[in-house]
Amino acid sequence: MQLTELQMGLIALGVVGVGAVIGYNLWQERRHRRTAERALGDAQPDVLIDPLHQPSRRVEPTLDFDLGSDLASDTPVEPAIDLPTDEPLSAAADDTVQLAPQREPVLKAAPADDAPAWADAKVEEVIVVELEAPIAATEFQRAWSELTRQVDTGLRLRGRDDQAGRWLELTPDTAGNLSRIEMAVQLADRRGPLGEASLSALAHALQAVADRFLAVVHFPDARDLLARARELDSFAASVDVQIGLNLVAGEHPISGTKLRGLAEAQGFALDNGLFRARDDAGATIYTLGNLDAAEFIAETMKNLQTPGVTLLLDVPTVADGARNFDRMVTLAEQFAHALGARVVDDNRQPLSPASLGVIRGKIAEFQTRMTQFGVAPGSASARRLFS
């Protein structure tokens, strides 16, 4: 059948219309991609190929004196603190992490229901993701879990549900529609500071988020962020002290059954190879571990015979460390009496009252320094930093 001029004209008009729609969509995609690239930077190098700087080894302070000897009260003894030297960030860091050159003020004033602040600026950096259109929290979480398989940085996420008028802690089961996402990136922990490789992997994941959801990501300056992470780690290493009291068996090894009964009577619970005493909020105050390398296992405690145990106080992660140290000394003496053991230092020497007094003073000193720095001992931020 021969087409009339009207039919041919309608077909031509339809082709032009389809072409216009396709062209408009391509133009929109390019516009959103340019917006995302301005916020997050251009192409990212492959973190598996590009050479990266090895982080400095973290060195904690030590209490360098004989705990078994009496110490004159007028002779101050300072801990030997060996801090790693900060090396300047080389130009290679800019090649590794291509991010926005200018840091933008992206955090708005927190709503009244957000007090106290969600993130701690001393130990975390907040990255903001603004979504062009609301997306389901479950959809974002599925995508984010796929995109961050290579990211080993400590992260906490929350999302803003404008319809509900509240922030949601993001978990795989969180329900809601998100228009804005905030990520608190931990700058350091006991493994060391946030490094270039981790930051680059995170940038890759966020670039993919920007592409997939047509989002704008507000990312801080990379050099500034890495410098802050190194500074935080250096300070953390200078106050990262754990105090242990050893209970060494006398003529006979310590029975596992007796040890477990005594520990549980004092409020300890067996968890992941150690007995732990916790506060009302569930945070660990003391741990009780085997003097040998072997962990405590519930099923084998009946047959356990050990030459000794160690009571440990993790100084940065407990509040009022000096008072808790005094309690630990009293607890160690009670355990020793019940188990027929002796309380000794790492050199198997008895602990003198003078040595215990010096340790108590040093604990107070370290915790005062933490407070002055802005990280309260025993706080949630401190437990994240010293994890």
Side-chain angles (χ1 to χ4, degrees):
M1 181 180 67
Q2 186 175 5
L3 297 176
T4 66
E5 291 184 1
L6 177 59
Q7 290 173 322
M8 292 180 65
L10 291 174
I11 291 173
L13 183 61
V15 171
V16 170
V18 171
V21 171
I22 294 173
Y24 176 77
N25 288 338
L26 291 175
W27 174 77
Q28 283 281 72
E29 181 178 348
R30 285 196 298 271
R31 182 172 68 86
H32 288 300
R33 181 177 292 274
R34 285 196 299 270
T35 301
E37 288 176 350
R38 281 196 300 270
L40 195 57
D42 297 326
Q44 304 291 334
D46 192 333
V47 297
L48 299 178
I49 298 176
D50 291 342
L52 299 169
H53 302 292
Q54 294 298 322
S56 301
R57 182 175 64 90
R58 184 170 182 176
V59 181
E60 284 75 25
T62 58
L63 303 182
D64 190 14
F65 53 82
D66 184 1
L67 298 181
S69 62
D70 289 328
L71 301 175
S73 59
D74 59 349
T75 305
V77 180
E78 297 296 329
I81 300 176
D82 184 10
L83 300 182
T85 303
D86 282 346
E87 296 294 335
L89 185 65
S90 68
D94 286 343
D95 297 333
T96 303
V97 187
Q98 299 290 336
L99 302 174
Q102 298 296 326
R103 186 169 182 169
E104 302 179 31
V106 297
L107 296 183
K108 301 178 182 178
D113 61 352
D114 279 1
W118 172 65
D120 186 338
K122 276 290 184 180
V123 301
E124 296 172 308
E125 175 70 27
V126 174
I127 296 174
V128 177
V129 179
E130 293 182 345
L131 300 161
E132 184 176 70
I135 63 172
T138 51
E139 179 184 357
F140 174 80
Q141 281 292 94
R142 281 196 300 269
W144 185 244
S145 63
E146 294 173 3
L147 296 171
T148 54
R149 290 174 181 170
Q150 303 302 319
V151 177
D152 64 352
T153 305
L155 291 171
R156 296 188 301 122
L157 280 72
R158 71 172 184 172
R160 181 70 182 179
D161 187 332
D162 286 335
Q163 185 175 2
R166 61 194 179 103
W167 288 95
L168 306 172
E169 180 183 357
L170 294 187
T171 69
D173 300 322
T174 300
N177 293 307
L178 311 177
S179 58
R180 175 187 175 99
I181 295 162
E182 292 184 355
M183 302 178 184
V185 183
Q186 190 161 317
L187 299 181
D189 57 26
R190 276 182 166 146
R191 297 174 299 173
L194 174 69
E196 296 168 23
S198 296
L199 192 58
S200 180
L202 180 59
H204 277 292
L206 288 169
Q207 179 68 66
V209 166
D211 291 342
R212 183 175 300 191
F213 297 111
L214 299 179
V216 175
V217 178
H218 299 274
F219 209 105
D221 179 79
R223 294 177 69 87
D224 175 68
L225 193 61
L226 293 172
R228 283 180 56 208
R230 290 198 305 272
E231 178 184 2
L232 176 63
D233 181 66
S234 292
F235 173 78
S238 74
V239 295
D240 193 358
V241 174
Q242 295 177 320
I243 303 296
L245 299 178
N246 299 316
L247 281 69
V248 177
E251 296 180 359
H252 304 286
I254 295 174
S255 160
T257 300
K258 190 172 184 180
L259 174 65
R260 182 175 186 177
L262 181 62
E264 291 178 347
Q266 293 290 347
F268 287 75
L270 186 56
D271 177 28
N272 198 25
L274 297 169
F275 286 97
R276 301 177 189 273
R278 302 181 186 273
D279 61 18
D280 293 339
T284 298
I285 306 174
Y286 316 113
T287 61
L288 178 67
N290 200 340
L291 195 59
D292 290 342
E295 295 183 342
F296 291 135
I297 301 173
E299 292 75 16
T300 61
M301 287 298 294
K302 289 183 179 180
N303 300 321
L304 176 71
Q305 298 289 318
T306 178
V309 293
T310 299
L311 270 169
L312 193 70
L313 177 71
D314 192 356
V315 174
T317 64
V318 298
D320 199 351
R323 181 170 61 91
N324 277 310
F325 175 69
D326 290 341
R327 289 180 176 178
M328 187 174 75
V329 172
T330 301
L331 194 61
E333 292 171 348
Q334 293 173 349
F335 270 59
H337 177 74
L339 298 172
R342 295 178 297 117
V343 181
V344 298
D345 63 16
D346 288 338
N347 297 317
R348 301 294 177 95
Q349 297 299 315
L351 288 162
S352 68
S355 345
L356 294 173
V358 170
I359 296 174
R360 188 183 192 281
K362 288 303 175 184
I363 291 173
E365 176 188 324
F366 286 133
Q367 293 206 330
T368 298
R369 289 173 57 191
M370 289 181 64
T371 301
Q372 292 172 343
F373 185 79
V375 179
S379 64
S381 294
R383 292 195 296 272
R384 284 193 290 268
L385 178 58
F386 295 94
S387 61

